Amino acid sequence: MSANLFHDGVDILHGQRRLWSFHGGVHPPQHKHESTNLPVIRAELPERLILPLHQHIGEPAEPIVQVGDKVLKGQMIGRAHEFLSAPVHASTSGTIVDIGEYAVPHPSGLNATCIVIEPDGEDRGLEHPRVGDYLQLAPSALRNLIREAGIVGLGGAGFPSYIKLNPGKLDGIDTLILNGIECEPYITCDDMLMREYPREIIAGLRVMQHALQARVCVLAIEDNKPEAFRALHDAALHEAGIEVILCPTIYPQGSEKQLIKVITGKEVPANGLAIHIGIVCHNVATALAVHHAVEHGRPLVSRYVTVTGAGVSQPRNLDVAFGTPVRDLIIQCGGDPAAVKRLIMGGPMMGYALHSHAVPVIKTTNCIIAATEADIVPPRPVMPCIRCGACADACPVMLLPQQLYWYAHTNDLDKVQEYNLFDCIECGCCSYVCPSNIPLVQYYRYAKGAIWTKEREHEQADIARQRHEFRLDRLAREKAEREARRRLKKASLAKNQDKTPHTEEAVDND
Amino acid sequence: MQFDSPTSPHGHARTSVTRVMLRVIYALIPGIAAYIYFFGWGVAINILLACVVALVCEGTVLRARSRPVWPFITDGSAVVTAMLLALALPPLSPWWLTLCGTAFAIVVGKQLYGGLGYNPFNPAMLGYVMLLISFPLEMTSWTAPQMLLDVKLGLIDAATAIFAGRLPEGLPIDAFTMASPLDTLKTQLLLDQTVSNVIATSPIFGNIGGKGWEWISGGFLVGGLWLIYMKVISWHIPAAMLGALFAVAAIFYLIDANTHATPWFHLVSGATMLGAFFIATDPVSAATTNPGRLVYAAGIGILVYVIRAWGGYPDGVAFAVLLMNMTAPTIDYYFRPRVFGHDRK
Ligand code: SF4
Ligand code: SF4
C-alpha cells in the first residue's frame, strides 16, 4: 500500500504530524473492497418516498405541508422549531400522499410520523438563491443557512451540524478535525465520496473553518483508503492550514473522542465536549453537504449509501434520495430481500438489525448490509466469563467490561455506574473479542436502560412528592391565614364593641 | 417480513474458550517434552491419567448439576487443570494419587464453586495442596533425572511402577527417587551447609538449577512467551511474578551468598516457570485488571520466596498462588485502570 503513497518520487507522508494512539481497539475483517469496484450511481426513485420527520438527534421537525400538496425537490416540508432539531426537505418533486405513522430505521423497530411523497418523475428542483461570498456573511447567518439546509452529522450520529459550527464563547477553536476515517468494516460511502469530490470537501471544510474560526484543519483518513487519501492530499496541496493525514487502520478510530486522541494526544474530559478543549470534529460527508448548501443553496436531500453483504450480487455505493425504502436498494444491487438473513443498518460493529426492509434511508444511513450466513457467524454457546481480560485489553475507553458485565448481570446498578458504565461508547470491541461469546454490549444497553428508567421513576416520584408537599404546604398556609384573619376579626370586634361600629366593615374587607 | 435481529456487534473474532485452552495446551508441549526427556514416561502417563479422570469427573458433576455437558466438556479447561496438576506431581506417583488429586481439583476446586468461571481458587493448585497435606511422603519422593540412573525406565516399566507400585527386576521404587533440588538445598542448608557446597556435592544440580530442570523451565518459558505473543495471556503476571521473585532472591543473595541460592536458581527451579506462565495466569482465579495483575503476581513472587526460604515446604508456588487468589477480588477493586477522559485518581 505504501507504494501508492509515493507521488512523483516523493513520499507524501513525509513531515506528517505526529500521531498518538488510544488504548485497545480491534481489527475486524474489512470487507470494504467488495463495494468499491463499481462506480457510484443514482438509486432509482421508488414509487413512494417515506420521509421521517425525525432523522437526527433532537426534536422531530413539524410538517408544514398537507396531503395533496405538490412539492419540489429541496422544498422544506418539515420545519425545525426547537434549537436541537433539523428541518426535512422533499427529496424529489411530487405529491404528498400521506402524513402518518410508518416503520422507521430504529433498533426497536418502532413507527414514527413520516411524510410520504409520490414522485412525479420529473425531479424538478426548487430554485435556491445563491449565497455569493460566504466570507461576507455573519457567522450566525452562515450557521442559520446550514441549519435551514437540514444538515446533520452524516457520519452516523445525526447531530444538527449548525450547533457544532458555533465556537460559543471562544473567539475561535484550535483544531477542526474532518473525519474521513470510516473505521467500521463494510462501509465505503465516505471513501467513494472522498475519491469523487475532494475539492468540494475541501471547500466545505473551508466554510466550516470560517464558521468556527479554526486555526488548524486536519483531515484524517485511514490507510486502507489510499485512493481517497491521494485525492484529498492533491486537492489540499496548495491550501494553507489544511493537513491531510493518514492514520493506521484500527477500529474504533472514527469515534470522535478516540480520533481526537490520535490526532492531538488530548483526551476529551469524560463529562465534557470536544469544544471544551478547543476541538471540533465533523464528518467528510457533512463538509460536502455544507459546501452544497453554501455554494449552491442546495439543502440536504440525498446521500451516498453503501449497499453490501453477501445478500446482494452487486455490492456498491448508491446516491440515494432520502425516503427510499431499503428494499428498493437491495433489489437494485441484485439482491433478493426475502433471502436476506439479517438486514443491518450501519456497520457490523455498531449498526442495528432492521425489523423490516420497508424502512427508508434517512440522513444518518451510511450503509445497508444484506447479510447472509456468509457474513454472520452462527451464534455460539455463551459460556461463563473466565475473567481473561481480553475485553479490557480491547476497550478503547479503558473500562473493565468484565466487571461491568458482572454487575450488570447481577443487576447491581450502583456498582455498574461506579465502574463508569456511562463512559461506554457501545463500540462492541469487548463483545467482539470475548472468548466466552458473552453479548456484553447488550448487557450494558440493558443496564443503561434500567438506570434511566429508575431515574425517571425517581424523578417522577420526586415531582409527585413535591407536588404533594406543596399542596399540604398551601393548605396549611391557607388554614393559618384563615385562622389569623379570624383572630384579627375577633380581636377587632371585641375592640369595636366599645368603639365606633364602622371599622367592622374595614376588617371584613381585608 | 422479519429478520433475526440480535444486537451489535454482528461479527465476532475467531476465538472461544476452547481455542484459548487449546493454545494453553500447545504451549505446555515444549516443557512437557523436556520433562519426559529427563524424567521418563511416567510424566506422560500421569498427564494422560489426570486428563481422563478430569473429563469423567467434569462430565459426571455437570450431569448431576443438570448443566449442559457437551459445551463444558469440550471447553478444554478441565484438561488444562488436569495437565497442570499432573505436572506438579512426582513422575512415578502411584495412580491413586493422581486420581485423588484430579478428582478433588475438578469436583471440589471447580464444580462445587459453580464450575467454569466461578472458582475463586486455582483448582489444580487446590488439588496439589490437598495431596501435599494428605500424602506428604508420596508427594516429595521425586524421581531422579534419567541421566543419573543406571537403569532406564521404559514406557512399560513406568506404567507398572505407577499402576502396580512395582519396578522391573523387583527393584524398589526408592531406587529411583531422591529429593528434588529445592528440597535438597533446603535440608542441606538446615544442616549449616553453604549453598555452593551443596550444589558442588550433589549430582542433581546442573549449571544454574537442578539438572534437567533448567531445560524443563526453559520449555515452559518458551511456551509461555508464545502465549504472550498469541495474546492468550498478558505479560503482566509472568513479568511481575518473575521480577518480584528475582528481586527478593537477589536481595538475600547479596546479603549472604552462603545461605541463599542465586536469583537465577530460583527462576529455573521447581514450578517457577510453570507457575509464572501457566498457573498464576489462570484467568478465573487471578486478578483481572492489568494494574491488579501486577500487584497480584508480585505478591506471588514474594510469597514463593518466603515459603521456599522459611516455610515448611520445599516449593511455594501452590501456596503462594492460593493465598493470592484470596486477595484477587480486593486487588481488582483497588487497582483499576484510569478510564479514558478521567483524571488519574
Ligand atoms: S473477554 Fe469475555 S470471558 Fe474474557 S473477561 Fe471479558 S467478558 Fe470475561
Ligand atoms: S462497548 Fe463499551 S465496554 Fe465494550 S469495548 Fe466498547 S466502550 Fe468498552
Side-chain angles (χ1 to χ4, degrees):
Chain A
M1 183 185 303
S2 61
N4 282 338
L5 300 174
F6 279 85
H7 217 51
D8 308 327
V10 188
D11 182 356
I12 56 180
L13 289 184
H14 183 73
Q16 174 171 310
R17 67 158 59 208
R18 162 187 183 182
L19 293 183
W20 308 71
S21 62
F22 57 91
H23 178 264
V26 293
H27 293 97
Q30 296 279 312
H31 290 293
K32 290 199 186 249
H33 66 271
E34 288 94 327
S35 54
T36 54
N37 292 328
L38 296 173
V40 184
I41 53 170
R42 284 196 64 179
E44 286 152 25
L45 281 175
E47 277 168 29
R48 287 174 158 213
L49 290 162
I50 305 161
L51 288 155
L53 287 160
H54 196 191
Q55 307 186 25
H56 48 264
I57 287 178
E59 296 300 316
E62 281 164 34
I64 50 170
V65 286
Q66 270 152 15
V67 175
D69 284 1
K70 296 249 183 288
V71 290
L72 292 173
K73 180 179 183 174
Q75 180 180 335
M76 192 184 287
I77 54 175
R79 183 174 292 287
H81 289 291
E82 309 291 326
F83 169 73
L84 187 60
S85 183
V88 175
H89 301 79
S91 43
T92 189
S93 56
T95 315
I96 309 288
V97 291
D98 191 17
I99 300 177
E101 301 282 304
Y102 287 84
V104 294
H106 192 274
S108 60
L110 45 75
N111 288 0
T113 312
C114 299
I115 298 178
V116 183
I117 300 177
E118 201 169 80
D120 58 16
E122 291 172 28
D123 208 26
R124 259 178 313 126
L126 195 66
E127 279 302 317
H128 296 287
R130 299 286 289 265
V131 175
D133 186 3
Y134 69 84
L135 292 173
Q136 305 302 325
L137 281 183
S140 63
L142 189 57
R143 278 193 290 276
N144 198 43
L145 195 136
I146 290 165
R147 170 182 160 101
E148 291 300 294
I151 299 175
V152 302
L154 296 178
F159 192 84
S161 299
Y162 84 99
I163 300 175
K164 278 177 75 182
L165 287 171
N166 191 341
K169 287 196 273 310
L170 307 170
D171 298 337
I173 62 153
D174 203 50
T175 313
L176 167 60
I177 298 175
L178 204 57
N179 187 341
I181 292 288
E182 202 166 52
C183 59
E184 273 244 28
Y186 287 91
I187 311 178
T188 55
C189 57
D190 287 349
D191 184 3
M192 296 311 267
L193 206 68
M194 287 190 281
R195 294 187 202 185
E196 292 179 9
Y197 298 99
R199 279 173 207 295
E200 291 80 354
I201 289 172
I202 298 288
L205 176 58
R206 283 287 189 220
V207 178
M208 291 175 154
Q209 181 183 21
H210 176 65
L212 285 164
Q213 291 297 308
R215 274 179 278 285
V216 189
C217 296
V218 181
L219 203 164
I221 302 172
E222 270 191 353
D223 62 8
N224 56 6
K225 293 179 265 297
E227 290 92 343
F229 174 75
R230 281 180 64 156
L232 276 156
H233 177 267
D234 291 356
L237 211 51
H238 303 294
E239 302 273 346
I242 295 184
E243 297 172 40
V244 181
I245 60 163
L246 204 62
C247 309
T249 299
I250 185 168
Y251 175 85
Q253 186 159 232
S255 163
E256 183 172 290
K257 290 184 175 184
Q258 275 62 37
L259 183 57
I260 289 172
K261 174 79 196 288
V262 167
I263 288 172
T264 64
K266 293 186 195 161
E267 285 184 11
V268 179
N271 296 315
L273 296 173
I275 194 155
H276 297 160
I277 53 170
I279 301 168
V280 172
C281 237
H282 282 282
N283 176 269
V284 283
T286 315
L288 183 63
V290 164
H291 168 74
H292 285 321
V294 171
E295 210 65 37
H296 310 293
R298 230 189 276 156
L300 183 63
V301 294
S302 67
R303 68 163 297 153
Y304 275 17
V305 178
T306 308
V307 184
T308 183
V312 292
S313 59
Q314 293 144 25
R316 72 189 312 162
N317 281 276
L318 294 171
D319 188 1
V320 186
F322 297 140
T324 306
V326 166
R327 180 202 318 115
D328 293 57
L329 304 182
I330 295 175
I331 294 171
Q332 195 180 342
C333 292
D336 172 7
V340 175
K341 183 155 178 288
R342 193 184 299 176
L343 196 55
I344 299 164
M345 189 168 272
M349 295 300 286
M350 290 185 79
Y352 49 89
L354 293 174
H355 295 254
S356 148
H357 52 49
V359 301
V361 164
I362 60 171
K363 292 176 184 175
T364 52
T365 307
N366 47 11
C367 181
I368 302 290
I369 306 175
T372 66
E373 276 82 359
D375 301 290
I376 316 169
V377 236
R380 278 173 294 192
V382 174
M383 304 286 281
C385 169
I386 56 169
R387 305 175 63 73
C388 64
C391 48
D393 288 340
C395 178
V397 189
M398 295 185 270
L399 295 170
L400 293 169
Q402 69 273 52
Q403 308 293 70
L404 285 173
Y405 162 67
W406 181 259
Y407 293 116
H409 170 78
T410 52
N411 228 331
D412 190 339
L413 297 183
D414 293 330
K415 267 285 195 323
V416 271
Q417 288 184 81
E418 196 189 318
Y419 277 88
N420 301 304
L421 173 68
F422 283 98
D423 286 273
C424 168
I425 56 172
E426 297 182 20
C427 65
C429 291
C430 51
S431 304
Y432 182 79
V433 299
C434 174
S436 289
N437 282 303
I438 304 171
L440 296 164
V441 185
Q442 214 167 314
Y443 280 94
Y444 308 151
R445 286 201 194 100
Y446 159 78
K448 285 180 185 174
I451 291 166
W452 283 323
T453 315
K454 212 175 99 182
E455 269 171 12
R456 223 170 348 206
E457 277 166 9
H458 214 79
E459 248 166 54
Q460 243 132 42
D462 268 359
I463 292 171
R465 200 190 59 233
Q466 269 172 12
R467 262 201 219 121
H468 182 65
E469 279 167 5
F470 190 71
R471 185 166 167 271
L472 290 182
D473 245 28
R474 184 169 51 89
L475 291 179
R477 204 177 52 239
E478 283 173 2
K479 195 171 158 205
E481 279 168 8
R482 264 201 313 275
E483 200 65 26
R485 259 196 319 259
R486 218 181 20 246
R487 240 180 288 129
L488 202 64
K489 203 161 144 185
K490 236 175 162 170
S492 53
L493 268 178
K495 232 185 323 176
N496 286 334
Q497 263 163 8
D498 24 84
K499 281 200 178 170
T500 50
H502 73 265
T503 47
E504 201 176 326
E505 285 159 39
V507 173
D508 254 348
N509 285 340
D510 82 342
Chain B
M1 171 80 207
Q2 285 282 318
F3 307 97
D4 72 326
S5 47
T7 56
S8 63
H10 303 277
H12 194 267
R14 287 169 51 88
T15 171
S16 66
V17 178
T18 312
R19 226 176 141 89
V20 169
M21 296 297 167
L22 270 180
R23 291 200 168 146
V24 175
I25 294 170
Y26 297 152
L28 281 169
I29 289 174
I32 292 178
Y35 202 0
I36 295 177
Y37 177 80
F38 288 106
F39 289 91
W41 288 107
V43 177
I45 297 172
N46 279 351
I47 291 175
L48 223 63
L49 177 62
C51 288
V52 173
V53 172
L55 288 174
V56 170
C57 290
E58 180 106 329
T60 315
V61 185
L62 282 170
R63 174 148 302 169
R65 292 176 57 214
S66 16
R67 304 273 298 152
V69 175
W70 188 247
F72 285 105
I73 279 284
T74 51
D75 67 22
S77 62
V79 173
V80 169
T81 298
M83 292 176 81
L84 294 178
L85 176 61
L87 287 172
L89 299 179
L92 288 181
S93 307
W95 60 272
W96 51 264
L97 195 74
T98 312
L99 186 142
C100 288
T102 314
F104 185 83
I106 296 293
V107 178
V108 179
K110 184 176 172 192
Q111 290 294 342
L112 285 193
Y113 282 113
L116 179 71
Y118 292 94
N119 47 295
F121 296 105
N122 184 317
M125 291 304 102
L126 220 50
Y128 173 83
V129 165
M130 185 279 285
L131 291 179
L132 193 59
I133 292 169
S134 320
F135 310 104
L137 190 65
E138 284 80 0
M139 288 297 284
T140 43
S141 47
W142 216 268
T143 320
Q146 299 253 26
M147 58 264 219
L148 299 183
L149 298 175
D150 309 327
V151 196
K152 295 276 175 276
L153 288 183
L155 184 57
I156 307 289
D157 304 329
T160 346
I162 287 172
F163 290 103
R166 273 189 291 108
L167 281 173
E169 298 145 29
L171 285 168
I173 291 200
D174 296 358
F176 293 87
T177 58
M178 51 175 71
S180 67
L182 274 173
D183 212 354
T184 312
L185 186 66
K186 182 160 206 147
T187 9
Q188 294 300 316
L189 285 179
L190 287 177
L191 301 174
D192 282 338
Q193 298 265 18
T194 64
V195 172
S196 48
N197 222 344
V198 181
I199 290 181
T201 50
S202 172
I204 58 168
F205 292 97
N207 295 327
I208 37 177
K211 217 170 237 152
W213 286 106
E214 298 146 339
W215 290 95
I216 297 168
S217 292
F220 290 132
L221 173 66
V222 168
L225 292 176
W226 180 74
L227 282 184
I228 293 178
Y229 173 73
M230 296 304 285
K231 298 211 167 94
V232 173
I233 59 173
S234 71
W235 57 268
H236 301 80
I237 289 180
M241 175 176 157
L242 297 177
L245 176 59
F246 186 88
V248 182
I251 292 171
F252 284 99
Y253 178 70
L254 291 177
I255 292 174
D256 184 358
N258 278 335
T259 53
H260 300 285
T262 64
W264 303 112
F265 177 84
H266 280 283
L267 288 193
V268 300
S269 291
T272 305
M273 284 297 166
L274 184 65
F277 289 98
F278 296 91
I279 298 172
T281 52
D282 162 38
V284 177
S285 54
T288 186
T289 71
N290 284 338
R293 284 167 171 169
L294 293 175
V295 178
Y296 161 85
I300 295 179
I302 295 169
L303 283 174
V304 166
Y305 190 83
V306 170
I307 298 169
R308 279 183 186 173
W310 301 289
Y313 292 95
D315 201 355
V317 172
F319 288 104
V321 167
L322 292 179
L323 283 171
M324 291 312 289
N325 282 167
M326 284 195 269
T327 67
T330 319
I331 291 179
D332 280 338
Y333 185 79
Y334 286 105
F335 294 87
R336 288 186 243 168
R338 180 187 68 89
V339 175
F340 188 97
H342 288 251
D343 293 333
R344 273 174 209 288
K345 272 178 257 164

